[in-house]
Each structure stands twice: as C-alpha cells, then as structure tokens.
Amino acid sequence: MASINRRTFLKATGGLATASGAWWLSGCAPAFNTGAKKTLQFWAFSDTRIFWQQKAWELYKKLKKPDFDINWVIFPYNQMHDKVLITSQAGSGGPDIVDIEISQFSRFIKGDVVFVDLGPKLQEMGVLDNFYRPSATDPWTWKGKIYGIGNELNTCLMSYRWDIWKKAGVKTPIETWDEFAEEAKRFHQDTGNHLIEQMYDAVTGGQGYWWVMTLQGGGGLFDANGLPVLNKAPSIRTLTYQQNALKDGWSMRRPIGPAYNTALSEGKIATVLGPSWNFSGFTQENIPETKGKWHLQPLPRWTAGGSRTATWGGTGVSVLKTSESVAEAQDFVLFEHSTPEALLYDFAERQVWPTYKPALDDPRLSQPLPFFDNQKVGDLIKEVSPEINKWYNSPYYPETNGSCLRLGITPALLDLKMSPEAALNNAQNDALDTISFES
Amino acid sequence: MADVNIAVQEETERSVVRSTGDAPYRRADFVVKSVLINAGLLILVLLTIVPFLYMMLGAFKPNAEIFGVPLTFFPRNPTLDNMTALLSKFPFARWALNTVVVAVVGAIFSVLLSSLAGFAFAKYEFRFKNILFMLLLATLLIPNQVLLVPQFQVIRELHWFNTYAALIVPRAVGAFGIFLMRQYTVNLPNELLDAARVDGATEFSIWWRIVLPLVRPGLAVLAILSFTGLWNDFLWPLIVTNDTSMFVLNLGLGALVGPYDYQYGILLSGALLSSLPVIIIFLIFQRQFIDGFIQGAFKG
Amino acid sequence: MATAQARLTEGGSRFEFNHWWRHNQRKFAPYIFIAPFFIIFLVFGLYPIVYSFVLSFYKGFGFEQKTFFGLGNYIHLFRDARYIKAVLNTTEYAAGSLFILSPLALLVALAINSVYVRWKGLYKIGLFFPVITSAVIIAIIFGRVLDQQYGLLNLLLSWFGIAPVAWLSNAPVVMPAYIIMGIWTWLGINSLYWLAGLNGINKEYYEAASIDGANAWSSFIHITLPMLRPVILFVVIQAIIGSYNLFEAPFLLTQGGPSDASMTLTLYIYTQGFQNFNVGYASAIAYSMTVLLLVLSVLNIRLFGWKAAGE
C-alpha cells in the first residue's frame, strides 16, 4: 500500500510538474522591457539610417506625448530581412516597424503581404500628393496598395576628390563616359592610383555602379511586366565598359571592408558614384577626414542628350500586420515622413534630400555644403532629378539580382577574358529559369 | 616490462627500440626525437590556442587597434569600452539567461526522457518493441537538415515561436540518446531488479532508485553532449526566434556579425563572454568532457 | 447503511485497481516509460520526416501555396547550378577532412601515444578547446584569422615571405580557407578518437612483431592499421557527416559567396527554405543529401568491411 501510494504520489507530482512546466514553457515569451509602457520594436540594418528617425522620435514624443516607447535594434542586412520574412511565415513574433530596403521588398509580396497598407491613412492625412511618389511610395507599392514609405530622394551624382583631380590635371567637368575613361587612363599612368574602382560582388556591395550606369543608359533589371532584361544592350554596354576599365588597368576591383575606406581616404580611389547616402552619408560616416575635399557633378553621359543621373537604392519603412500596436506605429511612421523638421534631420546627418515636397523647398537644402567645399548641392539635385529614367520593380528582384551578380557581373569582372555579353546571357537565362521553376 | 618499449615517431620513419646495448647512442637519439615530437605537438597546441587568445584580447582593444597596422597581440591601449557598450546596447544578460535555461533544462529533459525510455528497451519485453526500435534505427540515417523545414511548420502550428518550449522540446529526443542509455542499462544484472520487485518496489521506483544511480556515467555523457549541443546551437534558434529578448547567445552574436566591421570590438567581447562559461566548465571537468565525447561517439 | 455500503464499494474499486496495477504494472510500465519520449519523437521526429518527404513533391512559396509537382524538384536538382556548386563545395570540404585532417590527427595521436611524450594530458586538453566552442564563435575567431589585411593567418604566412591571400573574397581559396578552419576545429577530437583506438590494440602484438624482426613502419602497416579498421570506419563516416553540416561560418562570414564559392549544402537548404521559402524544393535538397550520405556510408562500410561496422 505504502509503495503504491508513494508511486502514485510521485507520478502525480511528476505529471503535475511536467504539465505545469510545459504550460509555463509554452506560454513563455516574456517581454524584456518591463514597465508600464508598451514598447514597439523597430528593426533596421544601418545605424546611419535610423539616426534621423531617432531624432524624429524625440520630436514626436515632445509634440504628441505618446503612451508607448520605441526600441531600436540593428541586424546585419541579410539576417534582418530574412527574419522579417520568417515572421510573415510564422504569423507572429518579429518587430512592429521595420526598415525595408528597396531590393528586398519583392520578397514580401509573393504570398500574403505582412505589411500594413498605408494608403488609407495617407489619404486621410491629405498628404499623399505631396510626395515624389516614384521615390517615396512606388518602390513599396504592389497591386495598388502602399506597403511602405521612403524619405530618400536618391538622385545619383558623381562625387570626386577635386584636390586630387586638380593636382593630376584631370579635366572637369567630365561630359561623357568615354572622356572619363581617357582621363582615368592618364591619371593612373601619372599617379599609379585609380580614378574609380569597380564594385563586383555581394561581399563588396554588389552591382551598385553597374546598376546606376545601366539605368542611366536607359536599361534596368526588369521590364514593365516584371520580367528580367539582363542581357539587353544598355546592360551589356555597362558591363563591357567596366571590364575594359579593368583590362586597361585604369581601374581596380573594390577592396574589401575597411580597406576601401582607407583607399578613399588616402586618395588611392578618387571618385564615388551614387546618391547622397553614398557620396554623402557613407563618406561622412566613414572618412570624415576628407571633409571639404569633394565636389559633385552630374554623371557623365553615355551619349549626347542622354540622362545624367539615375536612382539607386533606398530604404522605406513599413509597419507589420503582426504588430500589436499597428495604429501607434503607423501614426509615428507617417508623422516622421511628412514632417519637414523631422526629415531635415536626415539631411543634416547624411545629406539625404527628402521625398516630401514641402520639405524639399526648404532653403536649408540649398545651402553651400562644407563637406563639398561649399558647393550648393541642393541646386544640382533639383536640376538633374527630372532626368531619372523610369524603372520597374518585380516580385523576382532577389532572384534576378542574384543571377545578375553571380553569373553576370562577378564572373565578368573577376575573369577578364569572359565576354560580358555571354555572362549576361547566362545571368538572364538563369533568372528566367529560377522564376519559371518557382511559379 | 620496462625492457620493451614501443616508440612511434611523428615522421614516417619508425624504429623499434630494443633494450639491449647501444645505451649512450640511444639516449641521444631518444632525446632528439623527444624534442622534435614535443615541439611539433606544442606548435599545434599553440596554433590552436593563439586564435582564442587573440579573440579574447581583442575584446579589450579599441577598434582602431584591431584594424591597425602592425597587428598587435596584447592590447596597447586596453579599454573596457567594448564590454560596456555590449552590455548596455544589447540585452546580453537576457541572452545569457536564455542560453542557460535552454541548455540546462534541455539537458535534464533529454537525460530523463532518454534514460526512462532506454530502460524500457533494455529491460522489458513489450509489444511493438522491435518495430519501435527499428524505427529509431531508421531515423539515425536521416540527417538533421531534413527536419528543419517541417519542424518549422510544426512550431508554426503549435504557435510556439519565440518560446523556450520551441528551443528545448524538439531537441530533447533523439535516437542517439535512447541507444546510449540502453547500452548502459542493458548490462545491469536482472537479479538486482527482480530482487527489488520481490521487495515490493514499483517499476518506476526501480528506475528512479536503482537504475539511475547505476547508469550515472551514461547520464553524465548524455548530459554533457546535450548541454554542449544546446549551448552551441545556432541554426535552429535562428529559425524559431525572432524576438530579440528570446535570443540565445549564439544568435545574439550572429546578429552582430556583418560586413560592417566597426562593431568588431563589441563582437569580440561578446564572443569572449559567451565562450567563457563553457571553457571554464570544461577546464574543471576536463576528464568527464573528453571521456563523454569519446564514449558518446563509440557507444552511439 | 447505504452510505457505508457505498463507501465500501468505492474503496473496493480503488482497491481493485491497485491490486490489478500491482500485478500488471510490469506489463504496462514500459509503455508509460517510453510514452513521453515517443510522443515528442512522433511530433518532432517522425511526422516531420514524413511531412518533409511529401513536401518535396510540391512547389510554391511558403506553406500555404502548394501545387503538386511530382518529381519536378528532384529533376531540377540536376540542372540547378547552385545545387551542384553546393555539392561540390561540400565534397571539397569533406575531402579536406578525410585526406588532410584525419591522417594528421592520426599522426598526432601516434605522437601523443608514443613514449617520447610525457604531458599527454596537456596536449589532449589544448587541442580539445575548439570542439566545445560554438561554431558561431569559431566563425568570429576565423573572421579575424582569415582577414586579408589584418588577419593572423596572413601574418603567419608573411613570416615565410608569402604574400597576403584574400581568403574570404577570392573564390578559389575560400573553400580551402574553411578547410583550414575545419582542421583547426576538429584536430583535437579526431586525435582523441585515434588515441582511443590505439589504446585498444594489445601491446603483445608489437612485442611479438619486434621479436620477429619487424621494424616500426612494418608494424604500423601490418598491425596498427588493420586493428584500427573500426576506428577508421568511424572517423571517416564522422568526417563525412560532419562536413555536410558546415553552415555557420559560410553563413556569417561570406554569405555563401563570393558568387556561391562557399555555398554548402546546409546553407543552400537554408537559402531555399528560409530565404526564398521554396519549402518543397528545400525538402527535396535535404532528401537528396540523405541519399548522398547513405551512399557514401555504404561505400565506406564496404571498403572497411562489414565486420568493422559491427564492432
């Protein structure tokens, strides 16, 4: 009797312990931030980008006195987007607000979209028409719904070390890419340095320069139907130009990691292409000692009468449907993108021109900028922005981008004997293959 | 016994040393070989340990020094900034807690479940015994990777994302655990168990009071392997946890690694603090650890 | 009266149950003992294995959209350049394990086992550290070792006059870089496996051989190696299986690049399954890996003898 009772007792307590343990464990997802306020999680992948948003948050707190708080978390670029996608599949967990980079957005529109449609609220606020839609909302729009909003007007320019160019006698301004190649050859012969480097794979930053020059030349990644156009003429022309740059020796492949910053700082690479987050944000963050040594000019044309600019990248902000505080999140996100004072923080920090027109007209945006030797950059931006060629997004951005990098750009720039046309043909076929396989 | 020595050398040439004559020649020869071999091994040990030390010392260097030329080994300007930044900007303490909970509870769970089931397979006859055993055997052939996607789906159905349960339960059972415990239990004398039954003990108490103490070595092996495995796991937590407050140490560290190197000081200090507990436990329980890994491998 | 009777019956049925349990617990206990294990095993082991297999015949994004695809996923494997690259890379890594790491570990074991070495414990412990370290931390450490500019490895090479190598950004050397990392990680434990094997060889064999006039090399070939057969089989299979698990370092340090030069099978499964959410295809890849491992294991067992496998 006694042993049976003990056994029963043991089993009972064991069972109870396990059951309550399992219950506790299964229910256990304790919030880390204790305290009365609820805290929204904001995920980002770049701390330079959230700088203005954090300032905007301070502004919001002062003006609206919200009953919630925001916690800012930074992940590596790939991991962050992966995790948001996993959240959408999991149906729970994950952040409330997230920075979504332009090329990653397409991953989230294949199934049910996990982002909140910001359209209605924007309409309600009456600000929808005050944005440069192509930069502000189009990259994050799918089937008419606006799933994200961006503040970056990413007009591309060429930023060059005028002190080094002047010393080497490089002609300014440079009108065409052919001219650029000539000057670059001479520069390399005279100084042993490089006028510009070539970006070539995922580790060094990808197809950025190729993209800029191709879009400028009338090409792009997709056609209007969202299908890849990797082997069209403008794409091949750019890649050929880049490969010749390496073959002729006046350019080099971009160094990895901090070595690139050092090269820029020392003038071993003397030019940077891209929009303000690159020529301004990146350089000011990583090589602030070069302040005052840069000038800006429009991109050299491919052909007479061609476009002198492009757009590159951009990050928007989205609110997740899985959030428990959608209204609050939405309120803040739309506030920060439509409040000139908030948007100007990013200008102050990274020289990012805003997509919100009322903000763009602020005279502060056209002041001489000391980092660029007091050049009035704002005027230049306003001048060339209308020349940005139209481009199309697609649900197959990562696949196409991946194929382009892996089979197109990287092989052609690593193996100088590979034909750019052949490489891009490979990339195009691979992309089409992957797309048809998946759908 | 001391007459016959077997000597084996690191170079391909091997010579059997005889005990007869040649004493002075042999001694010099012996010393040379000894020095060479020991030097070789020492170099290997150094090559193994130096990167660890470099990582640990790097935690105390400012970023400029980590990426400076020339490379320094000992910090020239030691700083605690990395540590403080790590502990203040990231919920590191929380990550550590999560890891401890998962590894400890998981190891206990694994040990208990496996030894209980192993006991059943070792000392009982029951219907389905052979079928179930075959089933377990078959699953040994399936690598973990097959389970990733479907286990994710199961967690999804159970709504277990971001919970301790998701991190502990799926990892608590494995064919290896049962086989190991069965091995250790099978050799226990049946008379012992029968005697206990005659005395009126229940089956459960036989397991609890007689079997468990006797298979302690096996429990230790399983516990060590489970604990280390759970502590060092990365891929599974990567998939099932999105909430930064539920991260384990590995995940937290992984989130700090990126092509942007300016976080490196923080990363290295995180790596230092994360690896320290296991290293310390290892140094204290060296023999058990090493035995555990070897035994676990050969018996499994 | 009624209540007392009721109480008697109530106590009686409980008594009956206990009595029945006492007699039969031996028969039913095993089921109860294996229950917790097997319930979890069913939910998280068997069901996923079957579900994954079924899933591999479907395609679509995520778990909801599924269209039946027959053998399509498997057929696509043969045409998928990234898959083939992953298999090749993983095989290259496994080859490094088998043909460099294992023999080196054997040498180390022989050295530690020899009479020339007194501080056996020191070496065993010193070499064992990487085994208990998480792969993430090893990846972090090797991020510093393999760096082109500021890395320890290039520093070491520079002492021998060798120019710095771009370990992590140059396609042909990135897998060798990971092999170096693999050797560093697993040398200790492999040496210990060999040591355990060596200790199991009866010394009398060597005595007999030396009396017969055999030299050390001959003893090695004719005594050591054959007696190590089961250990060889074990080490080989461990090395192969372990190689297929390479994930953390390529994931964190090179993201499978440059241009898939460090894409491993596990990383590719993760890429397809959790970055692209082609869960059906990811399952097919995983099962193809199972088949590969099976084939390799069987080959090895054939090579080293069934008897060795039995021991």
Side-chain angles (χ1 to χ4, degrees):
Chain A
M1 240 337 166
S3 59
I4 291 170
N5 276 344
R6 177 145 35 119
R7 178 186 189 196
T8 323
F9 167 77
L10 277 175
K11 288 219 81 169
T13 34
L16 197 63
T18 323
S20 51
W23 167 82
W24 174 73
L25 285 179
S26 65
C28 217
F32 174 60
N33 296 313
T34 53
K37 277 193 191 163
K38 64 179 157 178
T39 309
L40 272 53
Q41 304 296 322
F42 191 121
W43 283 8
F45 55 85
S46 152
D47 52 359
T48 51
R49 216 195 96 77
I50 61 173
F51 179 79
W52 76 272
Q53 301 193 63
Q54 286 170 324
K55 289 286 242 330
W57 171 241
E58 298 299 318
L59 191 62
Y60 184 80
K61 275 198 285 198
K62 241 193 313 194
L63 290 178
K64 298 218 180 174
K65 308 216 190 308
D67 63 349
F68 60 93
D69 201 1
I70 295 189
N71 180 41
W72 312 80
V73 187
I74 301 186
F75 282 99
Y77 174 80
N78 277 314
Q79 274 188 44
M80 195 219 77
H81 290 100
D82 286 354
K83 283 181 134 30
V84 176
L85 190 60
I86 290 182
T87 304
S88 72
Q89 288 296 309
S92 68
D96 301 276
I97 312 176
V98 66
D99 261 7
I100 297 287
E101 215 254 1
I102 197 174
S103 60
Q104 295 284 326
F105 175 66
S106 43
R107 296 171 70 187
F108 302 94
I109 49 180
K110 282 188 176 155
D112 292 326
V113 186
V114 73
F115 299 132
V116 169
D117 181 6
L118 303 172
K121 185 112 198 263
L122 280 168
Q123 296 265 19
E124 188 193 311
M125 286 168 66
V127 294
L128 195 48
D129 296 322
N130 287 338
F131 285 98
Y132 270 114
R133 299 280 294 267
S135 286
T137 58
D138 286 354
W140 296 279
T141 301
W142 182 242
K143 298 207 171 125
K145 302 209 180 144
I146 302 176
Y147 291 113
I149 186 163
N151 72 306
E152 302 175 2
L153 183 60
N154 284 322
T155 310
C156 293
L157 297 172
M158 182 161 87
S159 177
Y160 60 96
R161 288 285 298 272
W162 65 267
D163 57 330
I164 295 181
W165 281 35
K166 190 157 167 206
K167 196 162 137 192
V170 178
K171 164 180 188 272
T172 58
I174 295 194
E175 300 290 340
T176 68
W177 283 116
D178 287 335
E179 229 175 64
F180 186 87
E182 288 306 313
E183 294 297 306
K185 273 185 209 153
R186 220 171 26 82
F187 180 80
H188 182 64
Q189 258 167 355
D190 294 343
T191 69
N193 293 329
H194 304 277
L195 218 50
I196 200 170
E197 90 296 355
Q198 306 301 328
M199 300 170 70
Y200 67 100
D201 76 1
V203 178
T204 59
Q207 28 86 302
Y209 284 2
W210 174 88
W211 160 257
V212 167
M213 292 161 76
T214 304
L215 178 59
Q216 179 200 10
L221 279 180
F222 301 102
D223 61 17
N225 296 322
L227 290 174
V229 290
L230 295 175
N231 54 356
K232 294 284 189 298
S235 316
I236 300 180
R237 175 173 58 180
T238 310
L239 194 54
T240 310
Y241 183 90
Q242 289 184 300
Q243 194 186 58
N244 287 338
L246 292 175
K247 277 194 205 167
D248 295 342
W250 57 261
S251 185
M252 63 183 279
R253 286 185 285 267
R254 176 181 283 201
I256 314 285
Y260 172 58
N261 305 348
T262 317
L264 278 179
S265 176
E266 293 172 5
K268 296 218 165 35
I269 298 175
T271 313
V272 165
L273 291 183
S276 60
W277 56 255
N278 200 31
F279 65 65
S280 193
F282 168 78
T283 46
Q284 292 195 51
E285 158 84 14
N286 292 314
I287 41 173
E289 66 275 10
T290 56
K291 175 174 176 175
K293 300 187 185 169
W294 299 90
H295 277 171
L296 290 164
Q297 68 151 77
L299 300 179
R301 298 172 211 260
W302 281 107
T303 55
S307 163
R308 292 175 299 164
T309 186
T311 177
W312 178 15
T315 305
V317 184
S318 298
V319 175
L320 271 74
K321 281 186 187 151
T322 51
S323 162
E324 290 168 351
S325 324
V326 168
E328 291 93 326
Q330 220 183 356
D331 196 55
F332 170 63
V333 169
L334 294 181
F335 165 84
E336 65 172 355
H337 283 86
S338 59
T339 307
E341 196 181 332
L343 292 166
L344 287 176
Y345 289 129
D346 207 9
F347 179 76
E349 174 68 11
R350 302 188 297 160
Q351 256 95 75
V352 166
W353 275 263
T355 52
Y356 189 56
K357 293 180 193 163
L360 199 55
D361 291 332
D362 192 298
R364 277 177 281 178
L365 296 181
S366 288
Q367 284 179 343
L369 292 180
F371 194 83
F372 297 95
D373 194 34
N374 292 323
Q375 188 177 2
K376 286 195 176 158
V377 182
D379 293 340
L380 186 56
I381 296 233
K382 281 202 210 150
E383 180 194 331
V384 295
S385 290
E387 291 177 33
I388 304 179
N389 289 329
K390 185 163 174 54
W391 66 283
Y392 300 98
N393 208 338
S394 161
Y396 302 110
Y397 204 121
E399 292 86 337
T400 310
N401 196 27
S403 299
C404 180
L405 260 180
R406 270 183 306 109
L407 297 174
I409 299 180
T410 308
L413 295 186
L414 279 182
D415 172 11
L416 299 180
K417 291 197 284 269
M418 173 141 219
S419 144
E421 184 166 354
L424 285 173
N425 278 332
N426 290 342
Q428 171 77 359
N429 291 333
D430 187 69
L432 283 175
D433 230 8
T434 313
I435 292 173
S436 77
F437 171 65
E438 285 176 9
S439 40
Chain B
M1 212 52 244
D3 289 338
V4 181
N5 288 312
I6 314 295
V8 189
Q9 195 180 318
E10 198 173 28
E11 318 306 311
T12 52
E13 183 197 25
R14 286 167 230 294
S15 49
V16 176
V17 177
R18 293 176 201 267
S19 60
T20 54
D22 296 329
Y25 173 73
R26 176 167 64 87
R27 208 169 293 139
D29 191 48
F30 184 91
V31 166
V32 167
K33 281 189 196 146
S34 186
V35 164
L36 279 175
I37 294 179
N38 277 295
L41 286 176
L42 261 173
I43 291 179
L44 280 176
V45 171
L46 266 170
L47 284 177
T48 305
I49 302 214
V50 161
F52 268 108
L53 288 177
Y54 185 68
M55 176 265 286
M56 293 188 186
L57 291 173
F60 300 102
K61 295 182 193 167
N63 264 337
E65 212 184 306
I66 300 179
F67 290 105
V69 174
L71 281 182
T72 61
F73 194 69
F74 292 102
R76 220 173 278 169
N77 304 310
T79 168
L80 280 179
D81 285 345
N82 295 326
M83 293 274 178
T84 45
L86 174 75
L87 294 170
S88 59
K89 281 165 81 168
F90 303 97
F92 193 81
R94 175 70 204 210
W95 294 343
L97 175 69
N98 291 333
T99 317
V100 167
V101 167
V102 170
V104 169
V105 173
I108 295 177
F109 225 60
S110 178
V111 163
L112 286 180
L113 256 49
S114 297
S115 70
L116 196 52
F119 175 48
F121 274 101
K123 291 297 183 191
Y124 290 87
E125 287 308 319
F126 52 96
R127 216 173 349 148
F128 305 128
K129 177 175 173 179
N130 285 329
I131 301 179
L132 290 175
F133 200 73
M134 288 288 123
L135 214 54
L136 283 173
L137 207 57
T139 63
L140 273 184
L141 299 168
I142 314 271
N144 265 343
Q145 285 80 344
V146 166
L147 298 175
L148 282 178
V149 163
Q151 278 183 342
F152 178 85
Q153 167 70 333
V154 172
I155 299 286
R156 202 165 154 250
E157 303 277 332
L158 292 173
H159 296 291
W160 271 11
F161 277 105
N162 295 310
T163 62
Y164 285 128
L167 293 170
I168 295 176
V169 174
R171 291 284 177 268
V173 299
F176 174 76
I178 279 197
F179 289 151
L180 187 74
M181 292 318 302
R182 181 183 168 279
Q183 279 290 84
Y184 277 91
T185 320
V186 123
N187 295 322
L188 296 181
N190 290 333
E191 297 78 45
L192 201 58
L193 308 179
D194 288 332
R197 287 193 186 104
V198 164
D199 282 346
T202 65
E203 299 304 311
F204 185 80
S205 68
I206 290 181
W207 172 68
W208 185 256
R209 286 141 133 255
I210 299 179
V211 173
L212 268 193
L214 287 177
V215 295
R216 245 202 299 251
L219 297 179
V221 170
L222 194 55
I224 286 180
L225 291 175
S226 282
F227 178 83
T228 325
L230 283 167
W231 187 278
N232 290 339
D233 199 5
F234 176 69
L235 183 46
W236 180 243
L238 179 69
I239 295 172
V240 298
T241 28
N242 273 342
D243 189 344
T244 46
S245 68
M246 284 305 287
F247 276 6
V248 292
L249 284 172
N250 265 340
L251 257 193
L253 286 181
L256 294 174
V257 177
Y260 305 99
D261 305 287
Y262 43 79
Q263 299 243 56
Y264 247 106
I266 298 181
L267 182 61
L268 291 181
S269 40
L272 168 61
L273 291 177
S274 306
S275 51
L276 224 42
V278 185
I279 290 184
I280 292 179
I281 298 181
F282 169 63
L283 286 174
I284 300 177
F285 294 105
Q286 304 153 7
R287 220 171 44 89
Q288 286 86 332
F289 255 87
I290 295 183
D291 285 347
F293 270 80
I294 305 298
Q295 301 266 19
F298 281 124
K299 292 222 180 206
Chain C
M1 219 48 285
T3 44
Q5 203 161 23
R7 220 175 299 137
L8 195 62
T9 337
E10 196 187 286
S13 59
R14 190 151 26 125
F15 178 73
E16 267 170 38
F17 173 76
N18 286 333
H19 183 77
W20 171 88
W21 180 249
R22 241 241 193 97
H23 271 265
N24 290 305
Q25 65 174 315
R26 191 163 171 185
K27 210 163 88 161
F28 291 102
Y31 294 106
I32 303 179
F33 288 170
I34 63 173
F37 184 94
F38 268 90
I39 293 176
I40 299 182
F41 183 69
L42 217 74
V43 173
F44 289 102
L46 278 178
Y47 170 68
I49 290 178
V50 172
Y51 181 64
S52 183
F53 187 66
V54 169
L55 203 57
S56 69
F57 298 108
Y58 285 81
K59 74 168 174 177
F61 175 80
F63 292 98
E64 310 301 329
Q65 311 168 345
K66 276 201 302 254
T67 44
F68 187 69
F69 198 30
L71 287 175
N73 284 327
Y74 290 100
I75 297 176
H76 191 259
L77 288 176
F78 291 100
R79 293 170 37 223
D80 184 357
R82 302 190 76 188
Y83 172 76
I84 295 174
K85 198 78 187 23
V87 172
L88 287 176
N89 288 336
T90 313
T91 308
E92 188 182 336
Y93 183 76
S97 244
L98 283 177
F99 299 114
I100 305 179
L101 171 64
S102 305
L104 185 61
L106 178 56
L107 283 178
V108 171
L110 289 169
I112 295 182
N113 204 33
S114 76
V115 76
Y116 297 113
V117 170
R118 214 120 38 94
W119 312 313
K120 298 188 200 287
L122 170 74
Y123 295 127
K124 282 201 233 177
I125 295 172
L127 294 174
F128 199 74
F129 273 101
V131 175
I132 52 154
T133 313
S134 85
V136 169
I137 295 189
I138 294 181
I140 293 174
I141 292 179
F142 268 78
R144 297 294 79 229
V145 169
L146 296 171
D147 190 88
Q148 185 178 0
Q149 235 98 359
Y150 310 101
L152 292 180
L153 184 56
N154 281 338
L155 181 66
L156 188 68
L157 290 177
S158 71
W159 293 343
F160 296 93
I162 304 178
V165 182
W167 292 108
L168 295 177
S169 55
N170 193 10
V173 294
V174 71
M175 253 0 254
Y178 286 133
I179 292 178
I180 294 177
M181 184 186 81
I183 294 177
W184 180 87
T185 309
W186 302 110
L187 183 63
I189 196 166
N190 275 289
S191 307
L192 289 176
Y193 290 151
W194 290 122
L195 262 178
L198 288 174
N199 284 331
I201 303 179
N202 200 327
K203 297 276 193 287
E204 292 177 359
Y205 286 114
Y206 293 111
E207 293 174 22
S210 74
I211 292 176
D212 279 348
N215 66 10
W217 174 246
S218 171
S219 308
F220 180 66
I221 300 285
H222 292 112
I223 301 177
T224 316
L225 277 185
M227 301 233 62
L228 279 180
R229 268 257 204 92
V231 184
I232 296 180
L233 179 64
F234 174 77
V235 167
V236 164
I237 292 190
Q238 276 287 68
I240 295 178
I241 295 182
S243 306
Y244 277 76
N245 287 334
L246 182 62
F247 173 79
E248 284 83 351
F251 175 75
L252 292 171
L253 295 177
T254 48
Q255 292 92 46
S259 226
D260 279 352
S262 63
M263 177 66 85
T264 64
L265 258 183
T266 305
L267 183 55
Y268 195 47
I269 294 175
Y270 175 82
T271 304
Q272 289 294 351
F274 296 97
Q275 283 185 340
N276 299 339
F277 273 100
N278 294 329
V279 293
Y281 190 51
S283 302
I285 300 173
Y287 266 100
S288 78
M289 192 170 110
T290 310
V291 168
L292 260 170
L293 286 176
L294 212 62
V295 165
L296 287 173
S297 302
V298 166
L299 271 176
N300 277 304
I301 293 181
R302 275 280 176 79
L303 209 58
F304 296 106
W306 283 106
K307 196 161 70 93
E311 287 175 37

